[in-house]
Amino acid sequence: MSYRIIELLLLTAILSASGMPVLAQEPPETPQATDSSSADVPEDALGRGTPRGSVAGFLAATDALQWEEAAEYLDLRNLPADVRAISGAELARQLHQVVSRIWLDEITISDNPEGLLGDDLPSYRDELGRIPTPDGDVILWLQRVPRGDGAMIWKVSNRSVSLIPELYDYYSYSKYVEKIRKWFPDDLVFLGIEAFKWFILVVIALVGWPVFYLIGLLLARVFSRPGTDSYPHVRKLFTGPLVLLALLVTAGFTIRELGAGEYARQVMKTNTLMTLAVVWLTWALIDLYRNIKQHRLIANNRPGAAKLLQPMSTLVKILVVLFGLLFWLNNVGVNITTVLAGLGVGGLAVALALQKPIEDLMGALTIFSQASVRVGDMCRFGETIGRIEEIGLRTTRGRTLINSVISVPNSRFAYLELENLTYREKIRYWQTLRLLYDTKRETISSICKRILEALQKDPNVHDEPMRVRFTDFDDDAILIKVHAFLNTTDYPQSLEYRERLNLAVMAIVEEEGARFALPGTSIYMEGDTASIPK
């Protein structure tokens, strides 16, 4: 039993490149019947009581190279003289050679001892398959014939057996393959494949690998250049998974041409190596895309988004492996509906347990995709002003103006009202001067004029827009509003420019003999002229 398992694993790893439809890894078996019957199946040691049993027995015997036993499934009666001269074992071997090279896929074999019903054929005859030839398809028949004791059993009809030599001549190997075949004993077989076929496969692999590798190197230089950041990933793509895919396709084509036993073909239909190669290719493409995207983001001063690509690409790789595993399990005959149901229940439990981390991860993805804030930006988020120091997968960390560090979960930070101060092209200078009501009209006009001149002369102030206007009579002061923009986007530097302008404004107000009004309320008694300011 252990040897059978080892044999199965080895054959799966070596021969899964054929790309054929899915079948379970069971002993050789033909497709299910399309009809059923309660009729008694004749007892037969070789299982020839039904068409399906007869075909399964023949394939099992030829798979084990038991030609004498395989001949028991052929109707050798009433054959032409030239065919009768060939032994039954040789005819079985030749039929195996034909069938192994054409890969009969779409055949419907009945499990009814009466044969397939409703196929417009006599009840004693069933169609086995069609063999393509230059002169048209040749039909192979199964026929119900009497056994020595009178019991009716199914065999390959003598009409079909008489055509085997002709079909074998057409489907025989070339003279070079025949020459190689004679180097090895006919009964030397490993994992259902004859020794000479293994030899040809090994030679093709040894010759094909360096050829495909050199082609991959040339293609890598066509699509990229040595010395660039993406070249190692491009080279890995063309000299790794693509080389393996080319070898698998070549090996699959070779096996189809040389032929393989039923057991080997069923194992090859699992596509194990092909699945691994596709997963590897997908991983290489993900790495290449991540590398190119990361360098673009870094060039655009978005290192945080580049950092996020690493875990995101890892997540995508895990999903690719899961899909590949499900595809392979489906190929080997596992009911993936049950597997998916189990994954769904487990996934729901994991999702509930990781709800908050997943929300934070999605928040990080939102921050990086929208690029509303980057590391190093000065921002106002909520009631806080600070510089962003790190955008992680769980939290965003910022340093406030009082040099404290605040960490905000990404799920919350992504939906805060955010004002990015770093994105300003200039910083606004906006002041409201409150002067006493006893300020004379000429003084107000002079103050406005001199402040405007001071702004115009300052090289750190934008030319436009620039306004100094007496705008309002407030309850306790006359209002003059100063509006301009500073030539800087750096917040600390803007404070320096603002301080210099504020001192200049104070000097102008003092030189004009005016005074600033403090917020407050004055009460004047009617008729008390002494309390009215002069």
Side-chain angles (χ1 to χ4, degrees):
M1 182 65 180
S2 60
Y3 173 78
R4 186 67 169 177
I5 295 175
I6 295 174
E7 181 183 60
L8 181 61
L9 292 175
L10 287 174
L11 188 58
T12 300
I14 298 173
L15 300 178
S16 58
S18 63
M20 296 191 62
V22 177
L23 282 177
Q25 298 183 27
E26 297 293 335
E29 184 176 349
T30 56
Q32 296 288 335
T34 58
D35 65 329
S36 60
S37 174
S38 59
D40 294 334
V41 178
E43 293 186 4
D44 186 76
L46 299 178
R48 298 170 295 181
T50 64
R52 183 178 172 213
S54 182
V55 173
F58 175 79
L59 294 176
T62 57
D63 224 31
L65 304 184
Q66 300 294 327
W67 308 122
E68 292 292 343
E69 180 180 334
E72 297 294 328
Y73 296 89
L74 307 180
D75 185 5
L76 302 179
R77 303 171 304 158
N78 304 321
L79 295 176
D82 56 337
V83 178
R84 207 167 42 244
I86 305 174
S87 66
E90 177 61 20
L91 288 172
R93 188 192 70 81
Q94 292 182 6
L95 179 59
H96 167 71
Q97 167 74 16
V98 173
V99 173
S100 68
R101 291 200 64 187
I102 62 171
W103 299 70
L104 287 176
D105 296 325
E106 301 299 330
I107 56 176
T108 304
I109 306 299
S110 174
D111 203 20
N112 185 349
E114 301 295 329
L116 184 64
L117 305 178
D119 57 356
D120 297 329
L121 293 176
S123 59
Y124 56 85
R125 181 175 296 167
D126 271 5
E127 182 178 328
L128 171 61
R130 295 173 180 266
I131 310 297
T133 67
D135 298 327
D137 292 347
V138 173
I139 302 177
L140 295 182
W141 304 98
L142 291 173
Q143 190 155 319
R144 200 177 187 196
V145 299
R147 197 172 54 188
D149 57 0
M152 302 300 290
I153 58 175
W154 289 87
K155 291 186 177 183
V156 178
S157 71
N158 53 3
R159 176 183 175 185
S160 299
V161 171
S162 65
L163 299 175
I164 290 177
E166 180 181 350
L167 293 174
Y168 180 74
D169 289 339
Y170 178 72
Y171 282 99
S172 61
Y173 298 121
S174 65
K175 61 180 181 179
Y176 303 104
V177 176
E178 283 290 343
K179 183 177 181 180
I180 295 174
R181 188 175 72 87
K182 293 178 181 178
W183 295 351
F184 301 88
D186 291 337
D187 58 350
L188 184 57
V189 62
F190 179 65
L191 303 179
I193 304 293
E194 292 93 327
F196 78 95
K197 297 178 183 178
W198 283 112
F199 176 79
I200 294 174
L201 285 174
V202 170
V203 171
I204 289 177
L206 292 176
V207 174
W209 183 84
V211 172
F212 291 134
Y213 187 86
L214 290 176
I215 294 175
L217 285 178
L218 294 176
L219 290 176
R221 289 179 174 269
V222 170
F223 287 92
S224 184
R225 297 189 307 275
T228 60
D229 295 325
S230 61
Y231 179 75
H233 295 278
V234 175
R235 176 173 174 174
K236 178 182 177 182
L237 174 66
F238 282 102
T239 60
L242 289 179
V243 170
L244 178 59
L245 280 173
L247 285 174
L248 290 178
V249 171
T250 304
F253 176 78
T254 303
I255 285 293
R256 293 181 68 89
E257 288 298 311
L258 294 177
E262 181 65 16
Y263 173 68
R265 281 186 284 169
Q266 290 192 23
V267 175
M268 291 161 66
K269 294 171 186 177
T270 62
N271 292 322
T272 303
L273 270 184
M274 187 65 72
T275 303
L276 291 175
V278 172
V279 170
W280 186 14
L281 174 63
T282 308
W283 275 33
L285 289 173
I286 292 172
D287 287 338
L288 177 60
Y289 173 79
R290 184 196 64 206
N291 177 265
I292 295 174
K293 192 67 175 179
Q294 280 181 332
H295 283 87
R296 288 181 179 177
L297 291 172
I298 293 174
N300 293 330
N301 195 26
R302 297 179 61 187
K307 181 181 177 181
L308 181 65
L309 284 178
Q310 182 65 42
M312 294 303 296
S313 63
T314 302
L315 177 61
V316 174
K317 286 182 178 181
I318 293 174
L319 293 177
V320 169
V321 172
L322 289 177
F323 279 115
L325 179 61
L326 291 175
F327 175 78
W328 181 78
L329 289 175
N330 182 70
N331 280 1
V332 299
V334 176
N335 186 358
I336 62 172
T337 303
T338 305
V339 177
L340 290 175
L343 289 177
V345 175
L348 179 61
V350 172
L352 291 175
L354 299 178
Q355 181 178 1
K356 288 299 181 182
I358 292 175
E359 288 180 0
D360 291 332
L361 179 61
M362 293 299 101
L365 181 61
T366 301
I367 294 170
F368 287 127
S369 61
Q370 294 182 353
S372 57
V373 63
R374 303 176 184 179
V375 174
D377 289 353
M378 180 67 70
C379 301
R380 184 195 306 273
F381 43 96
E383 300 297 327
T384 305
I385 296 179
R387 187 177 301 277
I388 304 300
E389 288 192 342
E390 181 183 2
I391 303 175
L393 299 180
R394 290 291 311 277
T395 61
T396 296
R397 188 176 66 189
R399 188 171 296 275
T400 67
L401 297 179
I402 60 174
N403 203 36
S404 63
V405 176
I406 182 172
S407 295
V408 183
N410 288 332
S411 57
R412 178 169 169 261
F413 186 85
Y415 297 99
L416 284 174
E417 183 177 345
L418 180 66
E419 181 182 1
N420 196 323
L421 303 178
T422 303
Y423 284 178
R424 297 179 297 185
E425 297 178 350
K426 48 193 175 182
I427 296 179
R428 186 187 187 193
Y429 177 74
W430 174 259
Q431 298 293 347
T432 300
L433 307 183
R434 298 167 51 84
L435 302 181
L436 292 174
Y437 263 101
D438 63 352
T439 306
K440 295 182 179 181
R441 180 179 56 190
E442 295 81 2
T443 302
I444 294 175
S445 177
S446 178
I447 289 173
C448 292
K449 181 178 180 181
R450 289 185 63 185
I451 293 176
L452 182 59
E453 290 175 351
L455 293 175
Q456 292 172 343
K457 292 178 181 179
D458 195 321
N460 298 315
V461 178
H462 271 283
D463 295 336
E464 292 292 340
M466 188 182 296
R467 295 188 298 271
V468 181
R469 290 288 185 267
F470 168 29
T471 59
D472 297 291
F473 294 98
D474 204 3
D475 292 338
D476 54 357
I478 293 172
L479 304 184
I480 297 177
K481 294 185 178 179
V482 181
H483 177 260
F485 282 93
L486 304 177
N487 282 318
T488 182
T489 58
D490 183 66
Y491 182 72
Q493 191 176 45
S494 71
L495 295 178
E496 178 184 345
Y497 294 166
R498 191 185 301 272
E499 178 186 23
R500 187 161 61 244
L501 288 173
N502 288 340
L503 291 175
V505 169
M506 289 184 67
I508 292 173
V509 171
E510 291 175 0
E511 290 171 2
E512 291 293 333
R515 290 184 300 164
F516 292 104
L518 297 176
T521 302
S522 299
I523 300 177
Y524 300 100
M525 302 299 294
E526 186 176 355
D528 187 3
T529 58
S531 62
I532 300 176
K534 302 297 183 182

